[in-house]
Amino acid sequence: QQQVKQSPQSLIVQKGGISIINCAYENTAFDYFPWYQQFPGKGPALLIAIRPDVSEKKEGRFTISFNKSAKQFSLHIMDSQPGDSATYFCAASPNTGNQFYFGTGTSLTVIP
Amino acid sequence: EPEVTQTPSHQVTQMGQEVILRCVPISNHLYFYWYRQILGQKVEFLVSFYNNEISEKSEIFDDQFSVERPDGSNFTLKIRSTKLEDSAMYFCASSNGQADTGELFFGEGSRLTVL
């Protein structure tokens, strides 16, 4: 059972464009939703995270939009840069326990 | 900046052999994890460890897997009798809080290839 569904699988964006990656979940016990960025040969690194008590969180060029009623959240990368080219994973964790459930990842390529 | 370190970076083994993957978590962290990522697929939870015992494990973490924190700094994952399908990148992670309160820091991974 896929706890967190992520789309698209891959994304190509022109430099300066907006990259949008979407995730959906079913488990209403999830209360923490991080996004991880992974470069080739490296472990995932926390990019930005949100809790369901807010609908949006912005950090620099990265914004998470959260729709609790639809059980969806998305990552927006504004002014995308070639250095943003990486694999992005959404994740979710419940308010009890220690397990993160990851999406299947989105490979982002930003073309100069 | 503190980091999670893992060794070896790559291990090749024959099917049926035992493998030990080692991790040094960030020193003041209390929660330790192993995740794995089969090439091109999602990151999958294996096990979490807190207060010197397993706090949670997935269905992947069957009897061939075990974890240990032998000396207060290292955190190891042992795979007793490796199978072809164990080939993956294994990530160690640590945090200073539970999943919804502590940022998860990942190591760079140990690539396991089972022949």
Side-chain angles (χ1 to χ4, degrees), chain B residues 19-110:
Chain B
V19 163
I20 298 176
L21 305 179
R22 292 181 168 81
C23 169
V24 179
I26 294 173
S27 60
N28 63 342
H29 284 182
L30 301 175
Y31 297 81
F32 313 111
Y33 309 82
W34 284 100
Y35 283 80
R36 79 173 185 190
Q37 184 179 28
I38 295 171
L39 186 63
Q41 297 187 25
K42 68 177 178 178
V43 178
E44 297 177 295
F45 171 80
L46 293 178
V47 66
S48 62
F49 192 87
Y50 171 72
N51 201 25
N52 285 318
E53 61 182 20
I54 291 173
S55 54
E56 201 169 342
K57 61 182 181 179
S58 71
E59 59 188 24
I60 302 170
F61 194 87
D62 60 22
D63 290 345
Q64 70 163 332
F65 292 92
S66 62
V67 290
E68 197 175 37
R69 189 159 159 79
D71 56 12
S73 61
N74 290 286
F75 180 51
T76 62
L77 174 69
K78 181 190 290 186
I79 308 174
R80 254 179 281 281
S81 178
T82 51
K83 299 183 280 216
L84 295 176
E85 54 265 37
D86 294 328
S87 295
M89 181 73 88
Y90 289 81
F91 290 105
C92 174
S94 69
S95 71
N96 59 8
Q98 287 207 356
D100 67 332
T101 58
E103 178 181 342
L104 204 60
F105 289 83
F106 285 86
E108 294 195 351
S110 293

Side-chain angles (χ1 to χ4, degrees), chain A residues 21-66:
Chain A
I21 305 170
N22 300 299
C23 284
Y25 65 98
E26 288 296 325
N27 190 342
T28 55
F30 289 155
D31 76 340
Y32 178 66
F33 302 89
W35 283 89
Y36 282 84
Q37 180 186 56
Q38 184 181 28
F39 292 105
K42 300 290 187 181
L46 179 66
L47 185 63
I48 186 172
I50 197 168
R51 295 188 186 276
D53 53 341
V54 296
S55 60
E56 186 175 282
K57 183 174 181 180
K58 184 175 181 179
E59 290 183 2
R61 296 183 294 108
F62 301 92
T63 300
I64 300 179
S65 297
F66 187 83

